[in-house]
Amino acid sequence: MESLKDKIVLITGASSGIGKACAFTFAKEKANLILCARRYERIERISQELIDKYGIKVFKMKLDVRNYEQVQNAFSSLPEEWEKIDILVNNAGLARGFSKLFEGDVNQWDEMIDTNIRGLIHVSREVLNLMIKNEKGHIINIGSTAGHETYTYGNVYAATKFAVKALTQSIRLDVLDKGIRVSSVDPGMVETEFSIVRFSGDTERAKKVYEGISPLSPEDVSNAVLFCATQPPNVNINQIIITPLCQASSTQIHRKTMS
Ligand code: NDP
Ligand code: 8X3
């Protein structure tokens, strides 16, 4: 396993779920972290915990990945010591709503497309330019099983994750001669705040998504991200698809029935 000590790892959407788990997993390996999300108070709290526990350095960013100007400003004004980003985990993302396309909500579509697609390309564009200058780097995109196979009511969310898959492949082509690795980790069902966000704060409905199953934990996913990040320099993990044992596909899920 290649050491991550003193490497710089940038994680988008580090305030919750998979992104937060990645922050802890990489901190444990003594990497220094750039953590961003919109909820800055959470980033502050998480950063302090990581500094106290692991003695690493953390650069905190309040960032809405949908806003290109904000993203440009954030990365063009990075202090020099933080410019040499070794790994970017493009994790910020969300699902909103659960309905047939002809009954869908245009604002929810915009939010998913703007975050999951635009956000990822905004950050990738800026960070790739820094990585190209450094002649090294690694982008790890968090895709989804929904980017391989859609499911009923998953239409626009799945489309955004199909786009992430296309972008992972495309960026890999774009940087083939630049010494930059491009991977994706594509999880199935992970219990995070994902379903609470999807159902606009309806925690009861969100809980039902994971009823009768043992879903992935955010740490199961961050361990897969770590695996991608710790391969020898000649190795590029293209894609990891990871599901809980009870999930064979986007639609085939074995649930224990409640009595
Ligand atoms: P969470 O809701 O727990 O975390 C989502 C993270 O994304 C939060 O930190 C949130 O931060 C951040 N985020 C959302 N919108 C923005 C934005 N505009 N700008 C910056 N950050 C943003 O969900 P997960 O951890 O589950 O989701 C992480 C990724 O994993 C997503 O891309 C999701 O699609 C993917 N995924 C999740 C699965 C699951 O079952 N949970 C399965 C497969 C993939 P804040 O709100 O503070 O900005
Ligand atoms: C999220 C996973 O459960 O919506 O990418 O397919 S799910």
Side-chain angles (χ1 to χ4, degrees), residues 12-20 36-40 42 63-66 90-95 111 115-116 142-145 157 161 185-195 197 210 218:
T12 66
S15 61
S16 170
I18 296 168
K20 180 178 169 186
C36 35
R38 293 165 301 176
R39 287 171 293 179
Y40 191 67
R42 283 194 182 205
L63 188 68
D64 185 335
V65 296
R66 294 172 297 179
N90 267 320
N91 163 77
L94 46 70
E111 199 178 349
T115 311
N116 302 358
I142 305 299
S144 171
T145 47
Y157 176 70
K161 290 299 183 177
V185 172
D186 300 347
M189 299 170 86
V190 193
E191 193 161 8
T192 61
E193 293 175 21
F194 178 84
S195 293
V197 171
Y210 310 104

mmCIF file of all heavy atoms in Angstrom, residues 12-20 36-40 42 63-66 90-95 111 115-116 142-145 157 161 185-195 197 210 218, ligand 1:
data_model
loop_
_atom_site.group_PDB
_atom_site.id
_atom_site.type_symbol
_atom_site.label_atom_id
_atom_site.label_comp_id
_atom_site.label_asym_id
_atom_site.label_seq_id
_atom_site.Cartn_x
_atom_site.Cartn_y
_atom_site.Cartn_z
ATOM 1 N N THR A 12 -14.921 16.970 -1.651
ATOM 2 C CA THR A 12 -16.114 17.816 -1.728
ATOM 3 C C THR A 12 -17.254 17.097 -0.988
ATOM 4 O O THR A 12 -17.317 15.870 -0.974
ATOM 5 C CB THR A 12 -16.533 18.109 -3.188
ATOM 6 O OG1 THR A 12 -16.961 16.897 -3.815
ATOM 7 C CG2 THR A 12 -15.393 18.736 -3.977
ATOM 8 N N GLY A 13 -18.121 17.898 -0.382
ATOM 9 C CA GLY A 13 -19.234 17.297 0.370
ATOM 10 C C GLY A 13 -18.730 16.543 1.581
ATOM 11 O O GLY A 13 -19.177 15.432 1.877
ATOM 12 N N ALA A 14 -17.809 17.182 2.313
ATOM 13 C CA ALA A 14 -17.177 16.504 3.459
ATOM 14 C C ALA A 14 -17.961 16.713 4.756
ATOM 15 O O ALA A 14 -17.523 16.286 5.814
ATOM 16 C CB ALA A 14 -15.743 17.004 3.628
ATOM 17 N N SER A 15 -19.125 17.356 4.670
ATOM 18 C CA SER A 15 -19.868 17.663 5.897
ATOM 19 C C SER A 15 -20.748 16.512 6.366
ATOM 20 O O SER A 15 -21.368 16.605 7.426
ATOM 21 C CB SER A 15 -20.729 18.917 5.675
ATOM 22 O OG SER A 15 -21.656 18.679 4.635
ATOM 23 N N SER A 16 -20.817 15.435 5.587
ATOM 24 C CA SER A 16 -21.769 14.373 5.931
ATOM 25 C C SER A 16 -21.412 13.077 5.199
ATOM 26 O O SER A 16 -20.640 13.094 4.230
ATOM 27 C CB SER A 16 -23.169 14.856 5.500
ATOM 28 O OG SER A 16 -24.115 13.825 5.567
ATOM 29 N N GLY A 17 -21.958 11.985 5.670
ATOM 30 C CA GLY A 17 -21.974 10.718 4.936
ATOM 31 C C GLY A 17 -20.633 10.237 4.403
ATOM 32 O O GLY A 17 -19.636 10.158 5.136
ATOM 33 N N ILE A 18 -20.608 9.919 3.118
ATOM 34 C CA ILE A 18 -19.418 9.318 2.488
ATOM 35 C C ILE A 18 -18.239 10.293 2.510
ATOM 36 O O ILE A 18 -17.096 9.900 2.769
ATOM 37 C CB ILE A 18 -19.758 8.878 1.042
ATOM 38 C CG1 ILE A 18 -20.813 7.765 1.064
ATOM 39 C CG2 ILE A 18 -18.512 8.431 0.296
ATOM 40 C CD1 ILE A 18 -21.447 7.455 -0.299
ATOM 41 N N GLY A 19 -18.506 11.566 2.259
ATOM 42 C CA GLY A 19 -17.434 12.571 2.241
ATOM 43 C C GLY A 19 -16.786 12.708 3.607
ATOM 44 O O GLY A 19 -15.552 12.759 3.737
ATOM 45 N N LYS A 20 -17.611 12.725 4.640
ATOM 46 C CA LYS A 20 -17.082 12.821 6.008
ATOM 47 C C LYS A 20 -16.277 11.559 6.337
ATOM 48 O O LYS A 20 -15.188 11.640 6.925
ATOM 49 C CB LYS A 20 -18.246 13.006 6.996
ATOM 50 C CG LYS A 20 -17.836 13.114 8.424
ATOM 51 C CD LYS A 20 -19.049 13.333 9.323
ATOM 52 C CE LYS A 20 -18.664 13.160 10.777
ATOM 53 N NZ LYS A 20 -19.830 13.216 11.666
ATOM 54 N N CYS A 36 -14.504 20.647 1.896
ATOM 55 C CA CYS A 36 -15.495 21.668 1.535
ATOM 56 C C CYS A 36 -16.925 21.156 1.540
ATOM 57 O O CYS A 36 -17.171 19.971 1.363
ATOM 58 C CB CYS A 36 -15.171 22.315 0.191
ATOM 59 S SG CYS A 36 -14.458 21.286 -1.033
ATOM 60 N N ALA A 37 -17.802 22.095 1.752
ATOM 61 C CA ALA A 37 -19.259 21.872 1.713
ATOM 62 C C ALA A 37 -19.915 23.231 1.931
ATOM 63 O O ALA A 37 -19.228 24.211 2.232
ATOM 64 C CB ALA A 37 -19.688 20.898 2.808
ATOM 65 N N ARG A 38 -21.237 23.258 1.799
ATOM 66 C CA ARG A 38 -21.937 24.520 2.052
ATOM 67 C C ARG A 38 -22.098 24.755 3.555
ATOM 68 O O ARG A 38 -22.004 25.865 4.033
ATOM 69 C CB ARG A 38 -23.329 24.497 1.390
ATOM 70 C CG ARG A 38 -23.262 24.477 -0.127
ATOM 71 C CD ARG A 38 -24.587 24.093 -0.718
ATOM 72 N NE ARG A 38 -25.010 22.777 -0.248
ATOM 73 C CZ ARG A 38 -26.160 22.213 -0.527
ATOM 74 N NH1 ARG A 38 -27.046 22.848 -1.261
ATOM 75 N NH2 ARG A 38 -26.450 21.008 -0.070
ATOM 76 N N ARG A 39 -22.320 23.682 4.334
ATOM 77 C CA ARG A 39 -22.544 23.853 5.777
ATOM 78 C C ARG A 39 -21.192 23.970 6.480
ATOM 79 O O ARG A 39 -20.633 22.989 6.953
ATOM 80 C CB ARG A 39 -23.379 22.678 6.312
ATOM 81 C CG ARG A 39 -24.853 22.763 5.874
ATOM 82 C CD ARG A 39 -25.614 21.525 6.206
ATOM 83 N NE ARG A 39 -25.170 20.371 5.449
ATOM 84 C CZ ARG A 39 -25.672 19.142 5.562
ATOM 85 N NH1 ARG A 39 -26.659 18.922 6.411
ATOM 86 N NH2 ARG A 39 -25.215 18.150 4.825
ATOM 87 N N TYR A 40 -20.702 25.222 6.545
ATOM 88 C CA TYR A 40 -19.332 25.485 7.008
ATOM 89 C C TYR A 40 -19.127 25.128 8.482
ATOM 90 O O TYR A 40 -18.055 24.666 8.868
ATOM 91 C CB TYR A 40 -18.999 26.956 6.745
ATOM 92 C CG TYR A 40 -17.539 27.266 6.945
ATOM 93 C CD1 TYR A 40 -16.577 26.731 6.096
ATOM 94 C CD2 TYR A 40 -17.119 28.082 7.994
ATOM 95 C CE1 TYR A 40 -15.230 27.005 6.281
ATOM 96 C CE2 TYR A 40 -15.775 28.367 8.184
ATOM 97 C CZ TYR A 40 -14.841 27.819 7.323
ATOM 98 O OH TYR A 40 -13.505 28.088 7.509
ATOM 99 N N ARG A 42 -20.307 22.688 10.074
ATOM 100 C CA ARG A 42 -19.996 21.244 10.157
ATOM 101 C C ARG A 42 -18.547 20.981 9.748
ATOM 102 O O ARG A 42 -17.852 20.178 10.353
ATOM 103 C CB ARG A 42 -20.906 20.453 9.217
ATOM 104 C CG ARG A 42 -22.319 20.256 9.727
ATOM 105 C CD ARG A 42 -22.941 19.177 8.872
ATOM 106 N NE ARG A 42 -24.319 18.922 9.219
ATOM 107 C CZ ARG A 42 -24.911 17.768 8.983
ATOM 108 N NH1 ARG A 42 -24.258 16.779 8.393
ATOM 109 N NH2 ARG A 42 -26.169 17.588 9.298
ATOM 110 N N LEU A 63 -18.084 26.052 0.308
ATOM 111 C CA LEU A 63 -18.167 26.003 -1.156
ATOM 112 C C LEU A 63 -19.467 25.374 -1.622
ATOM 113 O O LEU A 63 -19.849 24.293 -1.171
ATOM 114 C CB LEU A 63 -16.971 25.173 -1.684
ATOM 115 C CG LEU A 63 -16.772 25.177 -3.195
ATOM 116 C CD1 LEU A 63 -16.337 26.548 -3.689
ATOM 117 C CD2 LEU A 63 -15.735 24.132 -3.600
ATOM 118 N N ASP A 64 -20.115 26.064 -2.538
ATOM 119 C CA ASP A 64 -21.260 25.483 -3.242
ATOM 120 C C ASP A 64 -20.753 25.100 -4.629
ATOM 121 O O ASP A 64 -20.462 25.981 -5.453
ATOM 122 C CB ASP A 64 -22.397 26.513 -3.329
ATOM 123 C CG ASP A 64 -23.651 25.910 -3.941
ATOM 124 O OD1 ASP A 64 -23.537 24.923 -4.709
ATOM 125 O OD2 ASP A 64 -24.754 26.413 -3.651
ATOM 126 N N VAL A 65 -20.613 23.813 -4.874
ATOM 127 C CA VAL A 65 -19.974 23.374 -6.122
ATOM 128 C C VAL A 65 -20.776 23.765 -7.370
ATOM 129 O O VAL A 65 -20.258 23.745 -8.478
ATOM 130 C CB VAL A 65 -19.694 21.843 -6.129
ATOM 131 C CG1 VAL A 65 -18.697 21.459 -5.049
ATOM 132 C CG2 VAL A 65 -20.986 21.025 -5.994
ATOM 133 N N ARG A 66 -22.038 24.145 -7.173
ATOM 134 C CA ARG A 66 -22.866 24.528 -8.334
ATOM 135 C C ARG A 66 -22.441 25.872 -8.919
ATOM 136 O O ARG A 66 -22.738 26.182 -10.061
ATOM 137 C CB ARG A 66 -24.344 24.626 -7.909
ATOM 138 C CG ARG A 66 -24.938 23.296 -7.509
ATOM 139 C CD ARG A 66 -26.317 23.477 -6.922
ATOM 140 N NE ARG A 66 -26.286 24.270 -5.692
ATOM 141 C CZ ARG A 66 -27.350 24.596 -4.987
ATOM 142 N NH1 ARG A 66 -28.546 24.223 -5.385
ATOM 143 N NH2 ARG A 66 -27.241 25.306 -3.882
ATOM 144 N N ASN A 90 -14.379 13.649 -5.710
ATOM 145 C CA ASN A 90 -15.581 14.357 -6.154
ATOM 146 C C ASN A 90 -16.798 13.620 -5.594
ATOM 147 O O ASN A 90 -17.332 12.701 -6.201
ATOM 148 C CB ASN A 90 -15.659 14.335 -7.682
ATOM 149 C CG ASN A 90 -15.038 15.550 -8.327
ATOM 150 O OD1 ASN A 90 -15.183 16.677 -7.835
ATOM 151 N ND2 ASN A 90 -14.367 15.334 -9.439
ATOM 152 N N ASN A 91 -17.201 14.056 -4.403
ATOM 153 C CA ASN A 91 -18.244 13.320 -3.682
ATOM 154 C C ASN A 91 -19.553 14.103 -3.561
ATOM 155 O O ASN A 91 -20.623 13.500 -3.489
ATOM 156 C CB ASN A 91 -17.694 12.974 -2.283
ATOM 157 C CG ASN A 91 -18.783 12.590 -1.315
ATOM 158 O OD1 ASN A 91 -19.306 11.481 -1.369
ATOM 159 N ND2 ASN A 91 -19.165 13.502 -0.434
ATOM 160 N N ALA A 92 -19.483 15.450 -3.539
ATOM 161 C CA ALA A 92 -20.693 16.257 -3.311
ATOM 162 C C ALA A 92 -21.778 15.827 -4.297
ATOM 163 O O ALA A 92 -21.544 15.753 -5.505
ATOM 164 C CB ALA A 92 -20.372 17.737 -3.488
ATOM 165 N N GLY A 93 -22.946 15.538 -3.775
ATOM 166 C CA GLY A 93 -24.027 15.120 -4.665
ATOM 167 C C GLY A 93 -25.289 14.846 -3.884
ATOM 168 O O GLY A 93 -25.266 14.758 -2.655
ATOM 169 N N LEU A 94 -26.377 14.728 -4.612
ATOM 170 C CA LEU A 94 -27.655 14.475 -3.957
ATOM 171 C C LEU A 94 -28.700 13.955 -4.931
ATOM 172 O O LEU A 94 -28.558 14.066 -6.149
ATOM 173 C CB LEU A 94 -28.169 15.756 -3.272
ATOM 174 C CG LEU A 94 -28.136 17.094 -4.010
ATOM 175 C CD1 LEU A 94 -29.139 17.147 -5.150
ATOM 176 C CD2 LEU A 94 -28.412 18.231 -3.067
ATOM 177 N N ALA A 95 -29.731 13.374 -4.330
ATOM 178 C CA ALA A 95 -30.953 13.049 -5.078
ATOM 179 C C ALA A 95 -32.059 13.894 -4.484
ATOM 180 O O ALA A 95 -32.044 14.193 -3.284
ATOM 181 C CB ALA A 95 -31.280 11.566 -4.927
ATOM 182 N N GLU A 111 -31.518 21.028 -9.430
ATOM 183 C CA GLU A 111 -30.610 20.883 -8.281
ATOM 184 C C GLU A 111 -29.700 19.656 -8.460
ATOM 185 O O GLU A 111 -28.493 19.722 -8.187
ATOM 186 C CB GLU A 111 -31.419 20.784 -6.990
ATOM 187 C CG GLU A 111 -30.567 21.094 -5.773
ATOM 188 C CD GLU A 111 -31.333 21.069 -4.469
ATOM 189 O OE1 GLU A 111 -32.581 21.011 -4.474
ATOM 190 O OE2 GLU A 111 -30.653 21.089 -3.421
ATOM 191 N N THR A 115 -25.725 20.046 -9.209
ATOM 192 C CA THR A 115 -24.779 19.549 -8.192
ATOM 193 C C THR A 115 -23.973 18.375 -8.747
ATOM 194 O O THR A 115 -22.738 18.392 -8.734
ATOM 195 C CB THR A 115 -25.547 19.085 -6.926
ATOM 196 O OG1 THR A 115 -26.460 20.102 -6.534
ATOM 197 C CG2 THR A 115 -24.581 18.783 -5.791
ATOM 198 N N ASN A 116 -24.672 17.357 -9.216
ATOM 199 C CA ASN A 116 -23.994 16.085 -9.531
ATOM 200 C C ASN A 116 -23.168 16.155 -10.815
ATOM 201 O O ASN A 116 -22.143 15.487 -10.913
ATOM 202 C CB ASN A 116 -25.015 14.952 -9.654
ATOM 203 C CG ASN A 116 -25.851 14.774 -8.393
ATOM 204 O OD1 ASN A 116 -25.644 15.466 -7.409
ATOM 205 N ND2 ASN A 116 -26.801 13.867 -8.426
ATOM 206 N N ILE A 142 -17.273 9.852 -7.021
ATOM 207 C CA ILE A 142 -18.269 8.976 -6.401
ATOM 208 C C ILE A 142 -19.467 8.916 -7.351
ATOM 209 O O ILE A 142 -20.210 9.890 -7.515
ATOM 210 C CB ILE A 142 -18.702 9.471 -4.992
ATOM 211 C CG1 ILE A 142 -17.477 9.651 -4.070
ATOM 212 C CG2 ILE A 142 -19.704 8.484 -4.389
ATOM 213 C CD1 ILE A 142 -16.645 8.400 -3.797
ATOM 214 N N GLY A 143 -19.587 7.786 -8.022
ATOM 215 C CA GLY A 143 -20.726 7.565 -8.932
ATOM 216 C C GLY A 143 -21.836 6.869 -8.183
ATOM 217 O O GLY A 143 -22.146 7.226 -7.040
ATOM 218 N N SER A 144 -22.407 5.857 -8.789
ATOM 219 C CA SER A 144 -23.480 5.097 -8.132
ATOM 220 C C SER A 144 -23.823 3.881 -8.986
ATOM 221 O O SER A 144 -23.603 3.895 -10.202
ATOM 222 C CB SER A 144 -24.724 5.985 -8.007
ATOM 223 O OG SER A 144 -25.836 5.235 -7.560
ATOM 224 N N THR A 145 -24.400 2.881 -8.327
ATOM 225 C CA THR A 145 -24.979 1.789 -9.130
ATOM 226 C C THR A 145 -26.066 2.365 -10.042
ATOM 227 O O THR A 145 -26.327 1.828 -11.118
ATOM 228 C CB THR A 145 -25.596 0.706 -8.214
ATOM 229 O OG1 THR A 145 -26.392 1.356 -7.215
ATOM 230 C CG2 THR A 145 -24.530 -0.143 -7.551
ATOM 231 N N TYR A 157 -32.011 11.434 -11.346
ATOM 232 C CA TYR A 157 -30.849 11.117 -10.500
ATOM 233 C C TYR A 157 -29.951 10.117 -11.234
ATOM 234 O O TYR A 157 -28.731 10.305 -11.317
ATOM 235 C CB TYR A 157 -31.281 10.557 -9.134
ATOM 236 C CG TYR A 157 -30.092 10.136 -8.311
ATOM 237 C CD1 TYR A 157 -29.214 11.084 -7.775
ATOM 238 C CD2 TYR A 157 -29.794 8.782 -8.105
ATOM 239 C CE1 TYR A 157 -28.087 10.704 -7.054
ATOM 240 C CE2 TYR A 157 -28.674 8.392 -7.382
ATOM 241 C CZ TYR A 157 -27.825 9.358 -6.863
ATOM 242 O OH TYR A 157 -26.705 8.977 -6.152
ATOM 243 N N LYS A 161 -25.927 10.266 -12.656
ATOM 244 C CA LYS A 161 -24.854 9.323 -12.308
ATOM 245 C C LYS A 161 -24.348 8.584 -13.561
ATOM 246 O O LYS A 161 -23.167 8.203 -13.604
ATOM 247 C CB LYS A 161 -25.331 8.362 -11.213
ATOM 248 C CG LYS A 161 -25.512 9.060 -9.857
ATOM 249 C CD LYS A 161 -24.191 9.671 -9.341
ATOM 250 C CE LYS A 161 -24.307 10.313 -7.977
ATOM 251 N NZ LYS A 161 -23.030 10.832 -7.464
ATOM 252 N N VAL A 185 -15.743 5.256 -7.747
ATOM 253 C CA VAL A 185 -16.270 4.303 -6.772
ATOM 254 C C VAL A 185 -17.780 4.463 -6.833
ATOM 255 O O VAL A 185 -18.313 5.551 -6.597
ATOM 256 C CB VAL A 185 -15.716 4.583 -5.356
ATOM 257 C CG1 VAL A 185 -16.419 3.701 -4.326
ATOM 258 C CG2 VAL A 185 -14.204 4.341 -5.325
ATOM 259 N N ASP A 186 -18.452 3.382 -7.185
ATOM 260 C CA ASP A 186 -19.887 3.440 -7.475
ATOM 261 C C ASP A 186 -20.666 2.578 -6.485
ATOM 262 O O ASP A 186 -20.802 1.363 -6.676
ATOM 263 C CB ASP A 186 -20.125 2.946 -8.911
ATOM 264 C CG ASP A 186 -19.385 3.798 -9.940
ATOM 265 O OD1 ASP A 186 -18.906 4.890 -9.572
ATOM 266 O OD2 ASP A 186 -19.298 3.374 -11.100
ATOM 267 N N PRO A 187 -21.196 3.194 -5.423
ATOM 268 C CA PRO A 187 -21.876 2.396 -4.403
ATOM 269 C C PRO A 187 -23.351 2.147 -4.718
ATOM 270 O O PRO A 187 -24.004 2.936 -5.415
ATOM 271 C CB PRO A 187 -21.766 3.264 -3.143
ATOM 272 C CG PRO A 187 -21.009 4.491 -3.514
ATOM 273 C CD PRO A 187 -21.031 4.596 -4.998
ATOM 274 N N GLY A 188 -23.852 1.068 -4.111
ATOM 275 C CA GLY A 188 -25.299 0.858 -4.028
ATOM 276 C C GLY A 188 -25.803 1.572 -2.794
ATOM 277 O O GLY A 188 -25.376 2.695 -2.510
ATOM 278 N N MET A 189 -26.648 0.903 -2.015
ATOM 279 C CA MET A 189 -27.328 1.597 -0.912
ATOM 280 C C MET A 189 -26.403 1.818 0.302
ATOM 281 O O MET A 189 -25.887 0.869 0.873
ATOM 282 C CB MET A 189 -28.543 0.785 -0.480
ATOM 283 C CG MET A 189 -29.542 0.626 -1.619
ATOM 284 S SD MET A 189 -30.802 -0.547 -1.226
ATOM 285 C CE MET A 189 -31.945 0.525 -0.364
ATOM 286 N N VAL A 190 -26.227 3.076 0.638
ATOM 287 C CA VAL A 190 -25.380 3.462 1.782
ATOM 288 C C VAL A 190 -26.245 4.276 2.736
ATOM 289 O O VAL A 190 -26.899 5.236 2.294
ATOM 290 C CB VAL A 190 -24.204 4.372 1.343
ATOM 291 C CG1 VAL A 190 -23.171 4.493 2.450
ATOM 292 C CG2 VAL A 190 -23.579 3.907 0.043
ATOM 293 N N GLU A 191 -26.248 3.944 4.007
ATOM 294 C CA GLU A 191 -27.079 4.731 4.932
ATOM 295 C C GLU A 191 -26.331 5.983 5.375
ATOM 296 O O GLU A 191 -25.360 5.928 6.123
ATOM 297 C CB GLU A 191 -27.539 3.913 6.139
ATOM 298 C CG GLU A 191 -28.636 4.669 6.886
ATOM 299 C CD GLU A 191 -29.475 3.789 7.793
ATOM 300 O OE1 GLU A 191 -29.142 2.614 7.979
ATOM 301 O OE2 GLU A 191 -30.481 4.327 8.320
ATOM 302 N N THR A 192 -26.792 7.116 4.855
ATOM 303 C CA THR A 192 -26.223 8.441 5.156
ATOM 304 C C THR A 192 -27.422 9.393 5.280
ATOM 305 O O THR A 192 -28.551 8.933 5.477
ATOM 306 C CB THR A 192 -25.325 8.920 3.990
ATOM 307 O OG1 THR A 192 -26.152 9.008 2.817
ATOM 308 C CG2 THR A 192 -24.163 7.975 3.733
ATOM 309 N N GLU A 193 -27.187 10.678 5.051
ATOM 310 C CA GLU A 193 -28.321 11.606 5.027
ATOM 311 C C GLU A 193 -28.960 11.657 3.637
ATOM 312 O O GLU A 193 -29.878 12.442 3.386
ATOM 313 C CB GLU A 193 -27.855 13.009 5.453
ATOM 314 C CG GLU A 193 -27.440 13.044 6.915
ATOM 315 C CD GLU A 193 -26.858 14.384 7.350
ATOM 316 O OE1 GLU A 193 -27.111 15.415 6.687
ATOM 317 O OE2 GLU A 193 -26.143 14.404 8.365
ATOM 318 N N PHE A 194 -28.444 10.831 2.717
ATOM 319 C CA PHE A 194 -28.885 10.836 1.323
ATOM 320 C C PHE A 194 -30.417 10.766 1.180
ATOM 321 O O PHE A 194 -31.021 11.572 0.472
ATOM 322 C CB PHE A 194 -28.215 9.649 0.613
ATOM 323 C CG PHE A 194 -28.595 9.464 -0.825
ATOM 324 C CD1 PHE A 194 -27.946 10.181 -1.820
ATOM 325 C CD2 PHE A 194 -29.580 8.561 -1.190
ATOM 326 C CE1 PHE A 194 -28.294 9.998 -3.162
ATOM 327 C CE2 PHE A 194 -29.924 8.385 -2.522
ATOM 328 C CZ PHE A 194 -29.281 9.097 -3.507
ATOM 329 N N SER A 195 -31.031 9.787 1.860
ATOM 330 C CA SER A 195 -32.491 9.611 1.689
ATOM 331 C C SER A 195 -33.275 10.700 2.415
ATOM 332 O O SER A 195 -34.372 11.069 1.988
ATOM 333 C CB SER A 195 -32.914 8.221 2.169
ATOM 334 O OG SER A 195 -32.359 7.248 1.312
ATOM 335 N N VAL A 197 -32.298 13.771 2.572
ATOM 336 C CA VAL A 197 -32.246 14.892 1.618
ATOM 337 C C VAL A 197 -33.206 14.607 0.455
ATOM 338 O O VAL A 197 -33.985 15.476 0.047
ATOM 339 C CB VAL A 197 -30.794 15.095 1.105
ATOM 340 C CG1 VAL A 197 -30.743 16.085 -0.043
ATOM 341 C CG2 VAL A 197 -29.892 15.557 2.250
ATOM 342 N N TYR A 210 -34.067 1.699 4.166
ATOM 343 C CA TYR A 210 -33.068 0.738 4.667
ATOM 344 C C TYR A 210 -33.697 -0.328 5.570
ATOM 345 O O TYR A 210 -32.992 -1.081 6.236
ATOM 346 C CB TYR A 210 -31.950 1.496 5.399
ATOM 347 C CG TYR A 210 -31.421 2.653 4.568
ATOM 348 C CD1 TYR A 210 -31.765 3.971 4.868
ATOM 349 C CD2 TYR A 210 -30.645 2.419 3.437
ATOM 350 C CE1 TYR A 210 -31.325 5.030 4.088
ATOM 351 C CE2 TYR A 210 -30.202 3.469 2.643
ATOM 352 C CZ TYR A 210 -30.556 4.770 2.976
ATOM 353 O OH TYR A 210 -30.125 5.818 2.184
ATOM 354 N N PRO A 218 -20.959 4.436 5.405
ATOM 355 C CA PRO A 218 -20.076 5.374 4.683
ATOM 356 C C PRO A 218 -18.616 4.913 4.716
ATOM 357 O O PRO A 218 -17.878 5.119 3.754
ATOM 358 C CB PRO A 218 -20.256 6.687 5.444
ATOM 359 C CG PRO A 218 -21.533 6.570 6.178
ATOM 360 C CD PRO A 218 -21.782 5.115 6.434
HETATM 361 P P1 NDP B 1 -25.131 12.967 2.320
HETATM 362 O O1 NDP B 1 -26.401 13.718 2.110
HETATM 363 O O2 NDP B 1 -24.872 12.375 3.645
HETATM 364 O O3 NDP B 1 -23.887 13.886 1.899
HETATM 365 C C1 NDP B 1 -23.919 14.688 0.746
HETATM 366 C C2 NDP B 1 -22.784 15.681 0.809
HETATM 367 O O4 NDP B 1 -22.800 16.470 -0.409
HETATM 368 C C3 NDP B 1 -22.923 16.647 1.970
HETATM 369 O O5 NDP B 1 -21.667 16.826 2.576
HETATM 370 C C4 NDP B 1 -23.365 17.954 1.308
HETATM 371 O O6 NDP B 1 -22.835 19.078 2.009
HETATM 372 C C5 NDP B 1 -22.680 17.827 -0.047
HETATM 373 N N1 NDP B 1 -23.302 18.710 -1.048
HETATM 374 C C6 NDP B 1 -24.549 18.631 -1.557
HETATM 375 N N2 NDP B 1 -24.773 19.657 -2.399
HETATM 376 C C7 NDP B 1 -23.631 20.402 -2.409
HETATM 377 C C8 NDP B 1 -23.241 21.589 -3.057
HETATM 378 N N3 NDP B 1 -24.077 22.245 -3.889
HETATM 379 N N4 NDP B 1 -21.998 22.068 -2.851
HETATM 380 C C9 NDP B 1 -21.150 21.433 -2.019
HETATM 381 N N5 NDP B 1 -21.458 20.306 -1.360
HETATM 382 C C10 NDP B 1 -22.694 19.802 -1.558
HETATM 383 O O7 NDP B 1 -25.138 11.822 1.199
HETATM 384 P P2 NDP B 1 -24.037 10.727 0.774
HETATM 385 O O8 NDP B 1 -22.858 10.794 1.626
HETATM 386 O O9 NDP B 1 -24.744 9.459 0.642
HETATM 387 O O10 NDP B 1 -23.704 11.247 -0.703
HETATM 388 C C11 NDP B 1 -22.399 11.473 -1.164
HETATM 389 C C12 NDP B 1 -22.290 11.045 -2.613
HETATM 390 O O11 NDP B 1 -22.523 9.647 -2.694
HETATM 391 C C13 NDP B 1 -23.306 11.685 -3.554
HETATM 392 O O12 NDP B 1 -22.656 12.015 -4.752
HETATM 393 C C14 NDP B 1 -24.319 10.577 -3.795
HETATM 394 O O13 NDP B 1 -24.970 10.703 -5.026
HETATM 395 C C15 NDP B 1 -23.401 9.374 -3.760
HETATM 396 N N6 NDP B 1 -24.043 8.086 -3.505
HETATM 397 C C16 NDP B 1 -24.770 7.876 -2.374
HETATM 398 C C17 NDP B 1 -25.365 6.640 -2.161
HETATM 399 C C18 NDP B 1 -26.219 6.365 -0.976
HETATM 400 O O14 NDP B 1 -26.981 5.363 -1.014
HETATM 401 N N7 NDP B 1 -26.160 7.123 0.079
HETATM 402 C C19 NDP B 1 -25.162 5.553 -3.104
HETATM 403 C C20 NDP B 1 -24.391 5.894 -4.265
HETATM 404 C C21 NDP B 1 -23.835 7.104 -4.427
HETATM 405 P P3 NDP B 1 -23.623 20.440 2.314
HETATM 406 O O15 NDP B 1 -25.084 20.137 2.309
HETATM 407 O O16 NDP B 1 -23.090 20.856 3.641
HETATM 408 O O17 NDP B 1 -23.191 21.359 1.210
#
